[in-house]
């Protein structure tokens, strides 16, 4: 009997990247929606239902496996791995809220897991290692692969198989590699044990290889037309494979006997139940079960709906030959049977290109989709239910599969790149690289930028250039607009002292003669005003277009003649507030950065107390300030949004800014106090936070601050100085702020409280030792102590 749809499990909101089905009544699935789901059923003829949901953190869950019941865990353990580089172990009988064990050791995404019956776990990671865990502690580290370890199997508690993006497979006895299998020409993605033979492997080269443990090749199975991601073996010995060509294929005795097309872009994962049913996890977020037993088939209506979905799914021409519709044979070509299951035939059905696949079991051609023209022509390609002019394959990491990047020629390439990075949880510093890829790939699109000049995210014009004194490095946090590794255009001259700014402590030690402490008081705040004016003007017009497209706010157009004069009204602030709250988190960064410029150049637009409070509250909401601050590090887009929030707040303390009753400053300080300092893991973010305090301290030198505001500011400054142990520049800016506060206290004859003075002295006495290489810190600390 052929395999047919048995049931569809709906519960995930993102790609299902891994499935595991150790018992007939249990299925586990892991997804990019940050969850793993535990599906169970009461009997063989009952439906699977969602029993528990495990949420290890805020990152993708990439892998899942199961440890059978043990005395301390009568229902077994669920083990997950993901982009947080952790292996989380849940005792099913206890709780799905918190893992019972967290296994720490990997440095990058944990993309594969396997477990032996005794509880031994093996994990594979993008960090090029596999690790073996016994008793939930690391027992071995398997070193030898040169690229990501995409696949692992625990053969028994002491023998393991690993497959890697270096195209090899290794057999390990404990922590020693005893054999290396070579033959695949691209990254090895999946492994499966075959009793009495050895094992099978699949790879990005589109093939499946069956091996003996001695290294002999039994079969090379060809049929998939793209990457093969996952393998499983049924209790009957059939090999099951799933891949990027959206098919699941059943292989028996070296031949493909059935191919099941899915209405999705990718079949990421397959597994088998002991009863031979097949479980699949796909890019459409669904888990499906297929059975060869008629009693377990879904209803005729469900099967028919599934087949209709498959037939309606567009197939881009390049994946099946790239030929034109008018050159294809007519429907009578379907009279000739296929040679084997999985054969593909393209048909011209009255001017419509259709794709058919031969079903060797049913002995008939099944329609599997409609043919579309190649990218860039008049027809569209479908991706996740929407039509696009292009759907590109983007290679982000060597050995990793290509990711899908949909793009329309009418949209700005940075919009498409931002959407792509958010969907795949990739760092924003890839933004320019992805845009460059779009520009080069979409040859028919005029993007308005030269081949050599980097582009502004919204305009395509020249980007806002980073200072020559602030070169970017590949390891630094990248600013989404300037592509600078620093959060402000710092030049080689220190903004408040004229001395050189050391890039780090080592640089400070190498050139102490260039360092001199600021002379107190420092009156001039440091603002974040850097921008390419023509590009920013165009950016604002583009922003206006986005408003019309996204929220139909055609009356809220932004018109500007120069950055120093923006015709921004309270109506525009209303629009910004709406976008800061309503737009998806990963798409808010342009709104936050636009707010930075409005705060700097058009403060009158939100001067009314009502608007001021609502605007600043919305800025914090745009940075998800009320969301949990763990686990760390925060998602990249949230780190970016917090950095841009801090830049905007720093600009609020201009020389001519109006304090009024100080309510908006109290709001800012109260909000900042809610966040743990440890949450700001990037030095650039912490330095920008210190700049906020420094800028406020400059106001305190020019006019006497309300005692409550001064106390709140002093507490925040001292918190930085007490907690900062890594970045000298962050500490130095906070130290200048402290100096200004102490100077103003004397100037206005308003001394610090004894407890405040005591805390300040304690910091000033210890800080020079923390940053011994920075002469500025030592000298300024001495100057401030002399003022106390």
């Amino acid at each position: 009997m052929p395999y047919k749809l048995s049931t569809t499990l709906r519960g995930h909101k993102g790609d299902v990247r891994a499935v595991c089905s150790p018992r007939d009544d249990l299925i586990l699935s892991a997804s990019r929606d940050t969850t793993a789901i535990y599906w169970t059923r009461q009997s063989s003829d009952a439906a699977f239902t969602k029993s528990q949901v495990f949420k290890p953190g805020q990152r993708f869950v990439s892998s899942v496996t199961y440890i059978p019941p043990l005395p301390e865990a009568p229902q077994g353990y669920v083990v997950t791995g993901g982009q947080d580089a952790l292996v989380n172990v849940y005792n099913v009988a206890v709780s799905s809220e918190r893992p019972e064990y967290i296994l720490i050791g990997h440095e990058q995404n944990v993309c594969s897991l396997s477990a032996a019956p005794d509880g031994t776990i093996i994990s594979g990671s993008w960090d090029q290692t596999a690790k073996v865990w016994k008793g939930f502690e690391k027992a071995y580290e398997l070193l030898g692969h040169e690229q990501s370890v995409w696949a692992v199997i625990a053969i028994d508690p002491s023998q393991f198989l690993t497959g890697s993006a270096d195209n090899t497979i290794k057999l390990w006895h404990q922590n020693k590699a005893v054999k290396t299998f070579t033959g695949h020409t691209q990254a090895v993605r999946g492994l499966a044990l075959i009793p009495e033979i050895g094992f099978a492997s699949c790879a990005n080269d589109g093939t499946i290889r069956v091996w003996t443990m001695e290294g002999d090749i039994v079969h090379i199975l060809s049929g998939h037309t793209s990457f093969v991601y996952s393998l499983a073996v049924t209790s009957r010995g059939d090999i099951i494979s799933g891949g990027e060509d959206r098919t699941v294929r059943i292989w028996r005795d070296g031949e493909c006997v059935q191919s099941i097309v899915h209405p999705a872009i990718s079949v990421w994962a397959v597994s088998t139940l002991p009863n031979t049913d097949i479980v699949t996890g796909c890019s459409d977020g669904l888990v499906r079960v297929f059975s060869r037993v008629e009693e377990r088939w879904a209803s005729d209506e469900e099967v028919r709906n599934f087949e209709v979905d498959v037939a309606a799914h567009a197939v881009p021409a390049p994946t099946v030959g790239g030929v034109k519709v008018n050159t294809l044979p007519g429907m009578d070509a379907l009279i000739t049977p296929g040679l084997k299951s999985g054969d593909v035939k393209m048909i011209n059905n009255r001017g419509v290109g259709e794709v058919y696949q031969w079903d060797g079991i049913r002995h008939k051609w099944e329609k599997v989709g409609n043919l579309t023209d190649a990218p860039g022509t008049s027809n569209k390609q479908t991706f996740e239910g929407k039509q696009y002019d292009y759907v590109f394959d983007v290679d982000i990491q060597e050995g990793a599969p290509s990711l899908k990047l949909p793009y329309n020629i009418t949209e700005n390439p940075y919009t498409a790149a931002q959407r792509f990075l958010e969907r795949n949880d990739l760092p924003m510093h890839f933004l320019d690289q992805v845009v460059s890829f779009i520009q080069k790939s979409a040859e028919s699109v005029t993007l308005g930028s030269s081949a050599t000049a980097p582009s502004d995210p919204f305009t395509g014009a020249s980007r806002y250039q980073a200072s020559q004194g602030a070169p970017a490095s590949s390891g630094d946090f990248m600013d989404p607009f300037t592509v600078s590794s620093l959060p402000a255009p710092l030049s080689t001259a220190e903004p408040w002292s004229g001395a050189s700014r050391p890039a780090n402590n080592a640089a400070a030690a190498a050139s102490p003669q260039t360092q001199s402490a600021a002379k107190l008081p420092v009156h001039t705040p440091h603002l974040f005003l850097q921008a390419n004016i023509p590009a920013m003007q165009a950016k604002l017009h583009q922003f206006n277009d986005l408003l019309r497209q996204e929220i139909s706010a055609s009356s809220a157009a932004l018109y500007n003649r120069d950055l120093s004069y923006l015709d921004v009204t309270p109506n525009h602030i209303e629009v910004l507030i709406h976008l800061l709250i309503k737009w998806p988190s990963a798409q808010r960064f342009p709104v936050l950065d636009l707010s930075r410029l409005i705060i700097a150049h058009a403060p009158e637009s939100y001067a009314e107390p009502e608007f001021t409070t609502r605007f600043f509250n919305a800025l914090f909401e745009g940075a998800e300030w009320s969301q949990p601050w763990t686990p760390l590090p925060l998602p990249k887009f949230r780190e970016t949004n917090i950095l841009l929030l801090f830049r905007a707040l720093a600009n609020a303390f201009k020389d001519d800014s109006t304090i009024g009753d100080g309510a908006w400053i109290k709001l800012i300080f109260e909000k900042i106090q809610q966040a743990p300092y440890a949450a700001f893991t990037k030095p650039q973010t912490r330095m920008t936070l210190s700049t906020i305090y420094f800028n406020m301290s400059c106001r305190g030198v020019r006019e006497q601050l309300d005692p409550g505001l001064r106390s709140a500011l002093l507490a925040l400054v001292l918190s930085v100085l007490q907690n900062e142990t890594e970045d000298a520049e962050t500490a130095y800016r906070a130290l200048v702020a402290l100096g200004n506060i102490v100077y103003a206290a004397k100037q206005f004859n308003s001394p610090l409280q004894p407890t405040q003075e005591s805390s300040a002295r304690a910091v000033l006495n210890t800080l020079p030792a923390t940053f011994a290489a920075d002469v500025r810190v030592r000298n300024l600390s001495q100057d401030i102590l002399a003022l106390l």
Side-chain angles (χ1 to χ4, degrees):
M1 297 292 286
Y3 277 91
K4 285 189 178 182
L5 181 70
S6 175
T7 188
T8 301
L9 308 183
R10 294 175 169 85
H12 286 296
K13 298 178 181 179
D15 295 39
V16 177
R17 295 304 302 267
V19 291
C20 175
S21 46
R23 305 194 308 256
D24 287 341
D25 62 351
L26 173 62
I27 294 173
L28 302 173
S29 57
S31 170
R32 282 179 168 173
D33 65 6
T34 74
T35 69
I37 296 180
Y38 187 90
W39 309 86
T40 60
R41 61 181 173 187
Q42 299 302 312
S43 63
S44 60
D45 57 352
F48 279 99
T49 59
K50 187 192 305 182
S51 295
Q52 294 193 57
V53 178
F54 305 93
K55 187 175 176 61
Q58 302 300 316
R59 309 294 296 278
F60 292 169
V61 183
S62 305
S63 51
V64 66
T65 193
Y66 179 73
I67 297 175
L70 296 171
E72 69 275 15
Q75 296 182 43
Y77 290 101
V78 172
V79 186
T80 67
Q83 287 195 326
D84 57 8
L86 302 175
V87 177
N88 293 279
V89 184
Y90 294 88
N91 188 331
V92 177
V94 176
S95 172
S96 62
E97 294 296 323
R98 294 181 178 275
E100 188 159 309
Y101 302 97
I102 299 177
L103 312 184
I104 301 173
H106 283 295
E107 297 177 359
Q108 295 187 50
N109 180 36
V110 178
C111 52
S112 54
L113 287 168
S114 179
D118 72 337
T120 298
I121 300 169
I122 179 172
S123 55
S125 169
W126 287 1
D127 64 11
Q128 304 180 16
T129 73
K131 301 185 191 299
V132 176
W133 314 82
K134 291 180 177 289
F136 307 112
E137 294 183 354
K138 186 169 70 174
Y140 318 120
E141 185 170 36
L142 309 186
L143 302 174
H145 284 297
E146 298 176 356
Q147 296 291 338
S148 303
V149 179
W150 276 105
V152 296
I153 288 183
I155 301 173
D156 58 43
S158 61
Q159 291 190 96
F160 313 97
L161 280 170
T162 59
S164 169
D166 64 9
N167 308 343
T168 70
I169 303 159
K170 291 183 183 292
L171 173 65
W172 305 79
H173 181 71
Q174 296 182 346
N175 63 342
K176 182 180 180 181
V178 295
K179 191 166 190 61
T180 298
F181 303 81
T182 59
H184 283 295
T185 59
Q186 294 186 39
V188 177
R189 300 303 304 275
L191 296 168
L193 291 177
I194 303 177
E196 300 181 3
I197 294 178
F199 67 94
S201 61
C202 64
N204 283 358
D205 59 16
T207 68
I208 299 159
R209 292 175 178 251
V210 179
W211 312 74
T212 68
M213 287 298 182
E214 289 71 37
D216 297 322
I217 295 287
V218 180
H219 295 296
I220 299 178
L221 310 179
S222 299
H224 282 283
T225 59
S226 189
F227 301 155
V228 188
Y229 292 135
S230 182
L231 290 176
V233 176
T234 70
S235 55
R236 301 174 71 241
D238 292 344
I239 297 173
I240 314 299
S241 60
E244 181 70 8
D245 61 0
R246 70 194 186 110
T247 70
V248 167
R249 296 178 187 251
I250 297 97
W251 307 83
R252 186 176 303 141
D253 299 326
E255 296 291 335
C256 178
V257 296
Q258 188 180 353
S259 180
I260 305 173
V261 182
H262 285 58
I265 299 297
S266 308
V267 179
W268 289 117
V270 297
S271 67
T272 58
L273 295 164
N275 64 11
T276 74
D277 284 0
I278 299 169
V279 181
T280 68
C282 295
S283 57
D284 59 4
L286 300 179
V287 177
R288 296 180 176 88
V289 181
F290 297 86
S291 181
R292 55 187 295 274
V293 178
E294 187 172 358
E295 289 75 15
R296 294 199 291 271
W297 287 351
S299 67
D300 290 344
E301 182 180 3
E302 289 178 273
V303 173
R304 186 164 53 252
N305 289 340
F306 173 76
E307 292 174 346
V308 168
D309 287 344
V310 170
H313 201 85
V315 180
T319 67
V320 287
V323 296
K324 295 181 179 180
V325 172
N326 58 13
T327 66
L328 299 176
M331 295 294 291
D332 55 353
L334 299 180
I335 298 174
T336 304
L339 297 177
K340 62 181 184 301
S341 288
D343 281 355
V344 172
K345 184 170 287 189
M346 292 172 287
I347 297 297
N348 181 353
N349 185 5
R350 298 179 181 179
V352 177
E354 296 179 342
V355 184
Y356 289 79
Q357 182 172 273
W358 180 250
D359 186 331
I361 296 178
R362 296 181 179 181
H363 204 71
K364 61 181 293 189
W365 290 100
E366 295 282 356
K367 182 182 176 184
V368 297
N370 292 321
L371 189 66
T372 67
D373 285 342
T377 60
S378 58
N379 289 340
K380 299 276 190 176
Q381 293 188 74
T382 300
F383 178 74
E384 295 187 337
K386 296 182 181 180
Q387 289 190 327
Y388 296 88
D389 295 317
Y390 298 81
V391 179
F392 298 123
D393 289 325
V394 180
D395 294 319
I396 292 296
Q397 178 174 334
E398 184 178 353
S402 298
L403 303 176
K404 299 297 182 183
L405 194 167
Y407 172 63
N408 284 317
I409 60 175
T410 56
E411 68 178 324
N412 188 285
Y414 272 88
T415 303
Q418 168 73 13
R419 181 177 62 234
F420 167 78
L421 294 175
E422 179 214 359
R423 178 182 183 273
N424 294 287
D425 197 25
L426 293 169
M428 281 299 146
H429 65 245
F430 283 122
L431 193 64
D432 269 17
Q433 292 173 251
V434 177
V435 169
S436 176
F437 176 87
I438 293 173
Q439 292 171 334
K440 292 176 181 178
S441 300
E443 296 177 350
S444 62
V445 184
T446 301
L447 297 174
S449 63
S450 68
T452 58
S455 301
D456 174 79
F458 282 129
T459 68
S462 296
R463 73 180 182 204
Y464 323 137
Q465 292 294 333
S467 162
Q468 294 303 310
S473 65
S474 59
D476 287 333
F477 181 71
M478 305 299 283
D479 174 83
F481 284 130
T482 67
V483 201
S484 165
S485 62
L486 297 175
L490 292 176
S491 67
T492 54
E494 174 62 46
W496 31 68
S497 70
S500 296
R501 173 189 184 270
N504 50 44
N505 289 350
S511 56
Q513 72 277 10
T514 65
Q515 302 175 59
S516 61
K519 301 301 181 183
L520 297 174
V522 178
H523 295 85
T524 305
H526 183 70
L527 304 178
F528 296 87
L529 305 176
Q530 182 187 21
N532 179 311
I533 292 178
M536 183 56 70
Q537 289 173 329
K539 172 184 171 183
L540 291 176
H541 287 295
Q542 178 67 36
F543 176 76
N544 175 62
D545 292 339
L546 288 175
L547 293 183
R548 292 175 178 171
Q549 295 172 15
E550 298 293 339
I551 62 172
S552 301
S554 58
S555 62
L558 293 176
Y559 300 99
N560 58 287
R561 288 175 287 278
D562 186 46
L563 282 177
S564 61
Y565 184 79
L566 299 178
D567 291 331
V568 182
T569 70
N571 288 337
H572 300 122
I573 301 302
E574 288 283 6
V575 173
L576 287 178
I577 290 172
H578 177 83
L579 294 179
L580 287 165
I581 295 172
K582 297 297 184 181
W583 267 20
S585 300
Q587 296 178 7
R588 294 174 185 167
F589 72 91
V591 188
L592 284 161
D593 204 45
L594 182 60
S595 300
R596 166 181 68 93
L597 296 175
I598 289 177
I599 288 173
H601 298 288
E604 67 280 358
S605 62
Y606 62 90
E608 292 295 327
E610 175 191 357
F611 276 139
T612 303
T613 301
R614 289 180 56 229
F615 185 30
F616 282 105
N617 267 320
L619 286 170
F620 278 99
E621 189 165 346
E624 298 184 294
W625 205 257
S626 60
Q627 296 301 308
W629 293 97
T630 55
L632 297 176
L634 300 174
K636 297 298 184 183
F637 65 82
R638 191 175 174 194
E639 289 179 340
T640 300
N641 289 346
I642 290 172
L643 172 64
L644 296 176
L645 165 69
F646 287 172
R647 287 186 178 187
L649 298 179
N651 283 357
F653 299 104
K654 291 173 59 181
D655 290 339
D656 57 352
S657 60
T658 302
I659 291 181
D661 61 4
W664 62 277
I665 301 177
K666 293 177 184 176
L667 168 67
I668 291 173
F669 288 173
E670 288 171 359
K671 291 283 190 181
I672 292 177
Q673 286 174 334
Q674 296 170 5
Y677 190 76
F680 310 130
T681 57
K682 301 296 184 181
Q684 295 84 355
T685 304
R686 301 197 300 273
M687 186 173 68
T688 310
L689 178 63
S690 279
T691 305
I692 297 173
Y693 304 152
F694 163 74
N695 288 357
M696 180 60 184
S697 76
C698 294
R699 290 302 304 265
V701 171
R702 295 192 302 275
E703 60 181 284
Q704 186 172 3
L705 298 179
D706 172 84
L709 281 181
R710 188 185 75 172
S711 294
L713 175 61
L714 179 60
L716 291 169
V717 169
L718 290 175
S719 176
V720 172
L721 295 175
Q722 291 162 353
N723 288 283
E724 185 58 52
T725 59
E726 297 177 357
D727 186 62
E729 185 64 26
T730 298
Y732 180 63
R733 296 191 181 196
L735 190 60
V736 177
L738 177 60
N740 275 350
I741 294 170
V742 172
Y743 181 93
K746 287 191 171 295
Q747 176 184 354
F748 294 112
N749 195 26
S750 177
L752 303 181
Q753 298 173 7
T755 54
Q756 293 174 332
E757 181 177 336
S758 175
S759 297
R761 287 186 180 276
V763 165
L764 293 168
N765 285 320
T766 59
L767 198 65
T770 304
F771 298 100
D774 197 314
V775 177
R776 302 173 305 163
V777 172
R778 181 177 69 245
N779 292 343
L780 187 56
S781 295
Q782 293 171 353
D783 291 345
I784 300 172
L785 280 169
L787 288 173
L788 286 171

